[in-house]
């Protein structure tokens, strides 16, 4: 009964909003000019430059912007020249910021456990001139410990200012860096070191024990350089190092470089800059060889699509070992803005490492820009929904009403300043309150999450598409695009081609839009895989002097020249009855279901249906259990409950219906997994893509049980 009266209370509020619209619509019509937003959104972003019945090639209609033109005028064709240019142009501006950790304390939790928490201070900054000078000293310091130009150097460390400084120090000496994810397993790290024959590894204090335990398997390594910890000093006996390996602090390498007489050895555009090991969703990690020309091409393309302002601040926390984050930060350098570093454990006020009463990094830094992967954005939305769910029924109804109100007007090209001020600007304070732009990459972003993040946080959320093999370049959304779930038009530095894939019935002659496997061609395309000529020959080719890469992703290009990712060759399963199921597509849609933290859908070609392994959201699962009368059980007990499996299956079926999935696409059985899949478990990559084979191997008995049932 109370809910009925609370819903009735919405009627006068709706009436007030209606009157507000009548009064303000003429003013907003003149001031905001919504018809222009619609025109900009629908304008053509790419045109066909080559076509036949088997393939279509698209090129952007956008011209190069000022930063791209400046790079051409200044002949900036290597990352070393980027560092030199910005040091002169933005010498005294803040460049790289590190937040001070004042102390680490034990904090008792309600369940009796003890968590270590940080008491944190302010950010300390290096200017652009200081950053370039430190990088130069580090590069010369490497020469002093015996590293030669064009000799591979491994960077195995978490994202931080010293990571970027080390990389640019290497570039100044023409030393290719080998990037290894901090979360990669022991076998993967060993493989990367051995294959590249590195004699020097740069790591962090935190990863030093893990790295040193691998040294018996890495006989060529002679020097390990570690980035110091703010609180804990290194003591040699703690790590029991191999006697043949010298362990040297990062700061000492810089000091050695100050007094070194070694000259810089500038690279050429075609020289190798990075051997970037993909985190490997299947099999052993592959080393992608990226030249300076590849990286510079992507930077030009990003600068043509993203508007960056002089006072912008980026919060950097994604892995720098991922090409998307590395080149996004290089674009920040090129445009003279500040980068403040963070970690997922200290990002917001409620992050697990932040002491009660202390502010998270975003609240202190107040960034205006950030990069993200879809999983992080899904978690942000689920966090908002969890907060809303704890409010009174009236407050929940009010939130839903104002959200629907905003969506209605945004779809018409209007902004909603009053509603934003009353509600959504307060929501945006969870990430500092000033973020105006988020760049999303690494995996497909669902249209629902895209829309919710953009409107709840009052910002532009731009989705891009690219691969390590294309230096992260391919397409980027235009900021004026009012649609969701698409990845934008081609960058100015590459062409996009669709090629028929007959097996999946994806053809460029399909209606209403051409479809096919995506090929990417341009200066951003890698020279190939390290020490894998056979695989390089399969995936790369040269046509009319332009290098191309076969992505195995399936896309369609719509009437305005914008690409939409619709499938992936490896994710396509043909069931017993002949239906094709795109596992990735189903997972992307189902991950927007509130009770699902992560999901892996599995299809056996000899069966008529799919099954799913689901990592439930703990808070939502407990709420669901209470709603169906299952009380007094732990999260682990709930995950092993057949009653909860059936309840989750019902939630999935209802959500799948809303997302318009076909009946044969919806999993017919589920297993609930009580462990959150993380990169260090080997079940997801550092970019949080599923490692299907690893997941299948771990849960094979559960898959067998689901099909047997």
């Amino acid at each position: 009964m109370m809910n009925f009266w609370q819903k009735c209370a919405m009627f006068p509020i709706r009436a007030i909003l209606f009157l507000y619209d009548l009064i303000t619509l003429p003013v907003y019509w003149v001031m905001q000019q919504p018809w222009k937003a619609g025109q900009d959104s629908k304008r053509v972003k790419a045109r066909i430059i080559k076509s036949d019945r088997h393939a279509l090639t698209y090129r952007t209609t956008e011209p190069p912007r000022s930063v791209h033109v400046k790079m051409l005028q200044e002949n900036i064709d290597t990352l070393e020249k980027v560092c030199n240019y910005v040091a002169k142009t933005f010498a005294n501006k803040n460049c790289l910021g590190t937040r001070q950790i004042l102390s680490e304390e034990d904090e008792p939790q309600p369940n009796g456990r003890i968590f270590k928490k940080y008491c944190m201070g302010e950010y300390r900054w290096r200017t652009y001139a200081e950053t370039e000078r430190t990088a130069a000293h580090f590069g010369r310091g490497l020469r002093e410990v015996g590293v030669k130009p064009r000799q591979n150097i491994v960077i195995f460390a978490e994202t931080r200012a010293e990571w970027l400084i080390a990389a640019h120090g290497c570039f100044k000496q023409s030393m290719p860096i080998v990037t290894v994810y901090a979360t990669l397993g022991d076998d993967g790290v060993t493989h990367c070191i051995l294959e590249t024959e590195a004699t020097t590894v740069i790591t962090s204090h935190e990863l030093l024990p893990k790295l040193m335990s691998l040294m018996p398997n890495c006989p060529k390594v002679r020097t390990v350089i570690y980035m110091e910890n703010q609180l804990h000093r290194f003591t040699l006996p703690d790590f029991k190092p191999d006697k043949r390996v010298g362990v040297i602090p990062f700061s000492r390498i810089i000091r050695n470089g100050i007094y070194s007489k070694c000259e810089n050895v500038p690279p050429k555009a075609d020289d190798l800059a990075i051997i970037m090991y993909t985190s490997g969703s299947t099999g052993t990690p592959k080393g992608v060889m990226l030249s300076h020309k590849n990286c510079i091409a992507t930077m030009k393309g990003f600068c043509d699509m993203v508007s960056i302002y002089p006072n912008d601040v980026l919060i950097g926390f994604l892995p720098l070992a991922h090409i998307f984050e590395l080149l996004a930060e290089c674009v920040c350098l090129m445009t003279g803005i500040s980068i403040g570093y963070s970690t997922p454990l200290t990002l917001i006020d409620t992050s697990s490492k932040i002491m009660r009463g202390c502010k998270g990094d975003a609240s202190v830094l107040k960034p205006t820009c950030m990069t993200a992967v879809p999983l992080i954005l899904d978690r942000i939305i689920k966090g908002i929904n969890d907060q809303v769910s704890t409010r009174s029924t009236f407050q929940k109804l009010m939130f839903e009403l104002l959200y629907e109100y905003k969506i209605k007007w945004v779809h018409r090209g209007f902004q909603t300043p009053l509603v934003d001020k009353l509600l959504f600007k307060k929501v945006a304070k969870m990430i500092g309150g000033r973020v105006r732009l988020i760049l999303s990459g690494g995996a497909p972003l669902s249209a629902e999450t895209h829309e919710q993040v953009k409107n709840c946080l009052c910002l532009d959320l731009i989705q891009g598409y690219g691969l390590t093999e294309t230096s992260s370049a391919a397409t980027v959304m235009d900021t004026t695009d009012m649609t969701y779930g698409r990845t934008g038009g081609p960058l100015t530095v590459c062409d996009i081609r669709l090629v028929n894939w007959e097996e999946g019935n994806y053809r460029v002659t399909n209606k209403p839009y051409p479809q096919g496997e995506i090929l990417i061609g341009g200066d951003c395309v890698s020279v190939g895989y390290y020490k894998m000529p056979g695989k390089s020959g399969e995936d790369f080719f040269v046509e009319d002097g332009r290098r191309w890469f076969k992505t195995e992703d399936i896309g369609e290009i719509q009437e305005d020249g914008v690409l939409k990712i619709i499938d992936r060759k490896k994710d396509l399963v043909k069931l017993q009855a002949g239906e094709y199921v795109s596992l990735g597509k189903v997972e992307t849609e189902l991950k927007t279901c509130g009770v699902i933290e992560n999901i892996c859908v599995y299809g056996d070609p000899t069966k008529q249906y799919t099954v799913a392994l689901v990592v439930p959201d703990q808070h939502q699962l407990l709420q669901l259990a209470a709603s169906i009368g299952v009380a007094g059980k732990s999260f682990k007990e709930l995950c092993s409950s057949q009653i909860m499996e059936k309840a989750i299956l019902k939630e999935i079926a209802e959500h799948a219906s809303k997302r318009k999935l076909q009946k044969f696409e919806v999993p017919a059985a589920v297993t609930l997994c009580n462990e959150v899949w993380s990169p260090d478990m080997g079940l997801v990559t550092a970019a949080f893509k599923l490692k299907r084979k690893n997941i299948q191997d771990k849960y094979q008995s559960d898959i067998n049980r689901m099909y047997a049932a």
Side-chain angles (χ1 to χ4, degrees), residues 452-471:
Q452 288 179 325
V453 169
K454 183 174 180 178
N455 289 291
C456 286
L457 299 181
C458 305
L459 48 76
D460 287 324
L461 174 54
I462 298 175
Q463 183 175 192
Y465 167 68
L467 305 95
T468 306
E469 289 86 347
T470 64
S471 314

Side-chain angles (χ1 to χ4, degrees), residues 131-240:
T131 299
E132 188 276 334
R133 190 162 55 246
T134 305
H137 292 157
F138 186 81
R140 290 199 287 270
L142 290 173
R143 296 284 300 280
E144 291 296 322
V145 295
V147 188
K148 296 180 174 57
R150 295 175 180 79
Q151 193 171 346
N152 298 333
I153 291 188
V154 170
I155 302 182
F156 172 56
E158 306 89 347
T159 294
R160 52 193 287 177
E162 290 86 353
W163 200 110
L164 202 62
I165 288 168
H168 280 280
C170 292
F171 298 149
K172 285 178 174 293
Q173 297 293 339
S174 295
M175 298 170 183
I177 62 170
V178 178
T179 64
V180 181
Y181 285 102
T183 53
L184 200 59
D186 290 358
D187 291 344
V189 175
T190 303
H191 168 77
C192 299
I193 295 172
L194 289 175
E195 187 170 72
T196 56
E197 302 179 63
T199 60
T200 302
V201 181
I202 301 167
T203 190
S204 66
H205 180 279
E206 292 74 14
L207 290 173
L208 195 52
K210 176 177 178 175
L211 180 65
M212 296 312 296
S213 72
L214 304 179
M215 286 301 97
N217 301 320
C218 304
K220 291 194 175 182
V221 175
R222 290 289 178 269
T223 306
V224 169
I225 300 164
Y226 69 95
M227 305 168 189
E228 293 96 326
N229 182 285
Q230 290 191 44
L231 297 179
H232 305 292
R233 293 181 63 83
F234 166 80
T235 54
L236 199 64
D238 290 347
F239 299 94
K240 299 182 176 61

Side-chain angles (χ1 to χ4, degrees), residues 207-484:
L207 290 173
L208 195 52
K210 176 177 178 175
L211 180 65
M212 296 312 296
S213 72
L214 304 179
M215 286 301 97
N217 301 320
C218 304
K220 291 194 175 182
V221 175
R222 290 289 178 269
T223 306
V224 169
I225 300 164
Y226 69 95
M227 305 168 189
E228 293 96 326
N229 182 285
Q230 290 191 44
L231 297 179
H232 305 292
R233 293 181 63 83
F234 166 80
T235 54
L236 199 64
D238 290 347
F239 299 94
K240 299 182 176 61
D242 190 317
K243 290 182 180 179
R244 67 181 163 79
V245 180
V247 182
I248 307 173
F250 194 88
S251 58
R252 189 189 302 168
I253 297 293
I254 293 172
R255 286 198 303 271
N256 291 348
I258 293 173
Y259 304 104
S260 172
K261 295 182 180 179
C262 294
E263 297 294 330
N264 289 345
V265 183
K268 295 183 173 59
D270 289 323
D271 285 349
L272 189 60
I274 305 167
I275 302 172
M276 182 156 282
Y277 276 87
T278 63
S279 47
S281 56
T282 57
T284 304
K286 298 189 295 288
V288 180
M289 295 186 290
L290 300 175
S291 67
H292 285 271
K293 181 172 74 172
N294 295 152
C295 298
I296 294 297
T298 294
M299 288 177 61
K300 290 174 180 174
F302 282 179
C303 289
D304 290 335
M305 294 302 297
V306 180
S307 296
I308 297 177
Y309 306 123
N311 293 325
D312 274 330
V313 177
L314 177 88
I315 188 163
F317 65 96
L318 291 185
L320 272 165
H322 193 297
I323 192 63
F324 171 54
E325 178 69 15
L326 177 54
L327 291 186
E329 292 193 17
C330 287
V331 167
C332 292
L333 296 183
M334 188 64 213
T335 50
I337 74 169
S338 306
I339 305 170
Y341 286 97
S342 177
T343 76
L345 302 179
T346 60
L347 183 62
I348 60 177
D349 296 353
T350 56
S351 292
S352 61
K353 273 284 189 180
I354 294 295
M355 187 182 299
R356 192 179 294 113
C358 190
K359 294 289 187 183
D361 297 335
S363 297
V364 174
L365 185 66
K366 292 186 169 28
T368 60
C369 306
M370 63 187 290
T371 52
V373 293
L375 183 65
I376 290 172
L377 299 176
D378 287 337
R379 286 176 177 171
I380 287 174
I381 287 302
K382 285 177 181 176
I384 293 171
N385 291 337
D386 285 347
Q387 286 188 8
V388 172
S389 69
T390 62
R391 308 292 172 141
S392 68
T393 304
F394 178 79
Q395 288 173 316
K396 284 189 276 190
L397 291 171
M398 179 64 80
F399 184 91
E400 291 169 6
L401 172 63
L402 294 180
Y403 182 76
E404 290 169 4
Y405 174 86
K406 179 171 182 175
I407 294 297
K408 177 182 71 174
W409 287 109
V410 167
H411 282 177
R412 296 171 181 174
F414 286 93
Q415 299 169 31
T416 56
L418 181 61
V419 169
D420 289 346
K421 185 173 182 179
L422 290 173
L423 176 61
F424 295 112
K425 288 291 186 182
K426 296 175 182 176
V427 176
K429 286 184 178 178
M430 70 183 294
I431 53 172
R434 290 206 314 148
V435 175
R436 65 169 186 85
L437 176 67
I438 295 180
L439 302 176
S440 175
L445 177 67
S446 75
E448 182 179 0
T449 298
H450 194 162
E451 183 174 47
Q452 288 179 325
V453 169
K454 183 174 180 178
N455 289 291
C456 286
L457 299 181
C458 305
L459 48 76
D460 287 324
L461 174 54
I462 298 175
Q463 183 175 192
Y465 167 68
L467 305 95
T468 306
E469 289 86 347
T470 64
S471 314
S472 192
T475 67
V476 174
M477 282 186 69
D478 191 280
T479 51
T480 62
D481 195 333
M482 295 167 62
T483 63
Y484 303 102

Side-chain angles (χ1 to χ4, degrees), residues 623-652:
Q623 282 193 332
L624 178 61
S627 71
I628 62 174
V630 180
K633 291 182 180 286
S634 67
F635 176 69
K636 190 172 182 178
E637 289 170 331
L638 290 174
C639 287
S640 60
S641 165
Q642 291 187 359
I643 295 173
M644 294 312 300
E645 284 183 357
K646 291 177 182 177
I648 293 287
L649 208 53
K650 183 180 176 183
E651 292 284 317
I652 285 175

